[in-house]
Amino acid sequence: MAELLAPLRSRYFISGEINSTVADVAAALARLEAQFADGEVTKLDGISVDYDRWHFNVRPSNTEPLVRLNLGADSRGLMEEKRDLVLGVIRED
């Protein structure tokens, strides 16, 4: 399996799931929708936003006052930059 995934891992960089405790989950999701309205926004499970070179999903926990971020990009630098940007919006509380 590792051999099969190696070409993908060298091409796509994924943040892994990052949990953030927030005072108001709905407000955090609304901030994300407003900030990233220029991307392709879907709200099937939380909020997902797609751009040409990166994308993210933020979904609320069913049991805790937190949201879970998963973000992917086509370079490590872009992933780290966008991860920090999205986390900044999430954690504005």
Side-chain angles (χ1 to χ4, degrees):
M1 189 64 133
E3 287 179 33
L4 292 172
L5 293 176
L8 296 174
R9 287 192 174 131
S10 67
R11 187 171 174 201
Y12 300 105
F13 298 85
I14 301 170
S15 67
E17 188 169 86
I18 303 169
N19 295 328
S20 298
T21 302
V22 294
D24 185 341
V25 170
L29 295 177
R31 284 194 305 274
L32 290 167
E33 185 175 5
Q35 178 73 30
F36 299 103
D38 62 333
E40 183 179 329
V41 177
T42 57
K43 296 194 278 184
L44 182 62
D45 181 19
I47 183 170
S48 296
V49 182
D50 291 298
Y51 292 93
D52 288 340
R53 296 186 53 215
W54 68 287
H55 66 273
F56 71 89
N57 171 264
V58 176
R59 61 185 181 83
S61 167
N62 291 326
T63 58
E64 302 173 88
L66 57 85
V67 295
R68 304 177 193 286
L69 166 66
N70 285 284
L71 186 143
D74 64 7
S75 74
R76 180 173 304 285
L78 183 62
M79 182 274 291
E80 292 170 350
E81 172 193 340
K82 298 305 183 179
R83 175 200 63 207
D84 294 347
L85 175 65
V86 173
L87 285 172
V89 174
I90 290 170
R91 296 174 176 170
E92 279 183 10
D93 287 343

